[in-house]
């Protein structure tokens, strides 16, 4: 073999080896690319509807959610995180009380509702197609408030009229309390929203009013007195529940976990930033900061989506409502809860 032939053969071998190496690199690159595509596709599997409709209670007709959900909303990540799953539009609806929110769910205008345990339970018992996502707040107090020169004890209410928001957790507290005291046949309960109650109370049209958080401490600050509180009767305290419609969760089974993860993050943050949270809540609700602080403790928002003690409160509420004929039929709480 000549020197020229040897040289040409060497060049050919080098080119062949180079081609093989390029092919191997290309295969590796393709494999890596395919893996990346698979990962992205996996992440993109969770796709929520473009519009999310959220209902909540605001006795003062404020447009901002309070509690951890409102905190997450104010910090930008409630919407920011959900947008990653395809949500483009957020519609917020505020209601004066729970029964009104139930009507909106019935009408098909809400996907998520945040409200008191009593209307949520009554709605479910009446056939409202909801599932329980979480118990966002527990041990909610209620204050039975009267004028300073009015009744001083529960016994003083005999033969008089009292009021509260019908279908609310305060109504369950008031109804239960009067029955407990043997006054249920001697005291008439009227339906009146908290925002409309002070005038009736000051005129003497009603002897007392069962107020929710915020309103109760605000009236006490004005010189009214509390003749009883739900905090004195632990099983009569309320809870705030978050429900999702059965139709929405059937089509979007990953939503409850996504929502609860956002809420848990918010709860952890507010526990580390108490003062900032109280200030936020005051701005969102329209109550002074001292009234907010008198209304609840940070621990009333559990980190978990539900707790044994919290679910016990819900069970007690349901039991009372069924026994009193206020809830249309019984149902199993644990079957209502999304695991």
């Amino acid at each position: 073999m000549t020197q020229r032939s040897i040289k040409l053969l060497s060049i050919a071998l080098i080119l062949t080896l180079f081609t093989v190496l390029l092919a191997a690199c290309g295969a590796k690159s393709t494999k890596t690319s395919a893996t990346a595509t698979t990962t992205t596709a996996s992440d993109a599997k969770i796709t929520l509807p473009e519009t999310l409709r959220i209902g909540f209670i605001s006795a003062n007709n404020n447009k901002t959610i309070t509690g951890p959900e409102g905190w997450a909303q104010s910090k930008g990540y409630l919407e920011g995180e959900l947008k990653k799953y395809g949500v483009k539009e957020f519609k917020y609806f505020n209601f004066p009380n729970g029964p009104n929110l139930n009507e909106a769910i019935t009408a098909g205008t809400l996907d998520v509702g945040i409200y008191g345990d009593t209307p949520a339970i009554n709605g479910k018992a009446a056939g409202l197609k909801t599932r329980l996502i979480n118990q966002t707040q527990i041990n909610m107090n209620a204050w039975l408030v009267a004028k300073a020169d009015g009744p001083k004890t529960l016994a003083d209410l005999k033969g008089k009229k009292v009021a509260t928001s019908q279908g609310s957790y305060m109504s369950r507290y008031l109804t239960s309390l009067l029955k407990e005291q043997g006054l249920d046949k001697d005291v008439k309960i009227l339906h009146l929203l908290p925002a409309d109650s002070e005038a009736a109370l000051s005129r003497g049209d009603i002897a007392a009013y069962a107020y929710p958080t915020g309103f109760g401490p605000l009236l006490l600050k004005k010189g009214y007195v509390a003749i009883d509180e739900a905090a004195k009767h632990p099983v009569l305290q309320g809870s705030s529940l978050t429900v999702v419609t059965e139709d929405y969760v059937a089509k979007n089974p990953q939503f409850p976990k996504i929502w609860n993860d956002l809420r848990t993050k918010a709860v952890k943050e507010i526990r580390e930033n108490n003062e900032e949270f109280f200030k936020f809540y005051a701005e969102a609700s329209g109550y002074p900061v001292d009234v907010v602080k008198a209304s609840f403790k940070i621990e009333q928002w559990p980190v978990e989506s539900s707790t044994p003690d919290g679910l016990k409160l819900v069970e007690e509420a349901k039991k009372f409502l069924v026994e009193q004929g206020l809830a249309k039929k019984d149902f199993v709480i644990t079957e209502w809860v999304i695991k």
Side-chain angles (χ1 to χ4, degrees):
M1 185 178 289
T2 65
Q3 187 69 27
R4 177 180 176 79
S5 297
I6 293 171
K7 186 175 181 181
L8 288 172
L9 180 59
S10 299
I11 292 172
L13 288 171
I14 291 170
L15 287 173
T16 301
L17 180 61
F18 184 69
T19 302
V20 170
L21 288 172
L22 278 178
C25 289
K28 184 177 181 181
S29 175
T30 303
K31 184 177 181 181
T32 303
S33 176
T35 302
T37 303
T38 301
T39 302
T40 303
S42 177
D43 290 344
K45 282 180 182 177
I46 301 176
T47 304
L48 299 176
E50 292 188 0
T51 301
L52 181 63
R53 304 166 300 173
I54 304 168
F56 61 98
I57 304 301
S58 175
N60 285 325
N61 198 33
N62 288 303
K63 305 299 181 183
T64 307
I65 305 174
T66 52
E69 297 83 0
W71 172 272
Q73 182 187 17
S74 72
K75 295 298 181 181
Y77 60 82
L78 178 71
E79 295 186 3
E81 287 299 314
L82 289 170
K83 283 179 179 178
K84 294 178 182 179
Y85 299 100
V87 182
K88 296 179 180 179
E89 183 181 18
F90 296 82
K91 292 184 177 181
Y92 300 99
F93 301 89
N94 64 316
F95 298 89
N97 65 353
N100 295 117
L101 193 151
N102 276 340
E103 289 175 7
I105 293 178
T106 301
T109 57
L110 291 180
D111 303 307
V112 176
I114 307 171
Y115 59 149
D117 53 14
T118 297
I121 291 168
N122 282 339
K124 178 65 177 177
L128 202 61
K129 296 185 180 302
T130 61
R131 296 296 302 277
L132 182 59
I133 293 181
N134 65 48
Q135 194 172 17
T136 189
Q137 188 177 359
I138 60 175
N139 299 328
M140 294 167 64
N141 200 5
W143 292 259
L144 187 57
V145 175
K147 289 196 298 182
D149 60 352
K152 300 293 188 293
T153 67
L154 292 171
D156 294 337
L157 297 177
K158 188 172 183 178
K160 295 182 170 60
K161 297 176 183 176
V162 297
T164 195
S165 178
Q166 186 178 14
S168 65
Y169 83 91
M170 303 89 71
S171 68
R172 179 176 66 87
Y173 152 71
L174 182 57
T175 305
S176 301
L177 179 68
L178 294 176
K179 185 175 180 61
E180 215 175 66
Q181 299 295 316
L183 295 167
D184 51 315
K185 301 287 193 301
D186 302 306
V187 179
K188 185 174 183 179
I189 301 177
L190 304 177
H191 167 60
L192 197 61
L193 294 174
D196 303 323
S197 63
E198 188 179 355
L201 195 58
S202 64
R203 288 193 305 264
D205 295 344
I206 54 175
Y209 188 95
Y211 282 103
T213 54
F215 267 106
L218 181 63
L219 268 288
L220 299 183
K221 185 178 179 181
K222 291 181 178 182
Y224 291 82
V225 297
I227 58 178
D228 193 76
E229 295 181 29
K232 296 179 180 178
H233 319 271
V235 296
L236 299 186
Q237 295 179 112
S239 306
S240 180
L241 310 182
T242 304
V243 303
V244 62
T245 66
E246 287 184 1
D247 181 61
Y248 189 88
V249 78
K251 295 175 182 176
N252 308 283
Q254 306 93 341
F255 175 78
K257 184 180 185 309
I258 295 171
W259 182 272
N260 282 334
D261 285 347
L262 291 172
R263 182 193 162 277
T264 294
K265 177 182 177 181
V267 172
K268 289 179 178 178
E269 288 179 357
I270 68 177
R271 290 191 174 194
E272 294 175 357
N273 302 275
N274 288 10
E275 292 302 319
E276 186 183 351
F277 175 69
F278 284 132
K279 183 179 178 183
F280 154 76
Y281 197 106
E283 292 172 352
S285 65
Y287 297 117
V289 174
D290 59 340
V291 167
V292 173
K293 289 183 176 181
S295 291
F296 49 71
K297 299 175 182 178
I298 293 292
E299 292 75 20
Q300 288 178 237
W301 284 283
V303 174
E304 304 87 352
S305 59
S306 64
T307 64
D309 287 344
L311 289 178
K312 183 179 178 182
L313 275 179
V314 179
E315 185 63 46
E316 287 293 333
K318 186 208 66 171
K319 180 181 176 183
F320 169 80
L321 294 169
V322 171
E323 287 176 350
Q324 297 301 307
L326 301 172
K328 287 191 175 181
K329 66 177 181 179
D330 200 357
F331 63 94
V332 180
I333 294 292
T334 53
E335 293 179 0
W336 187 30
V337 178
I338 292 180
K339 302 294 191 293

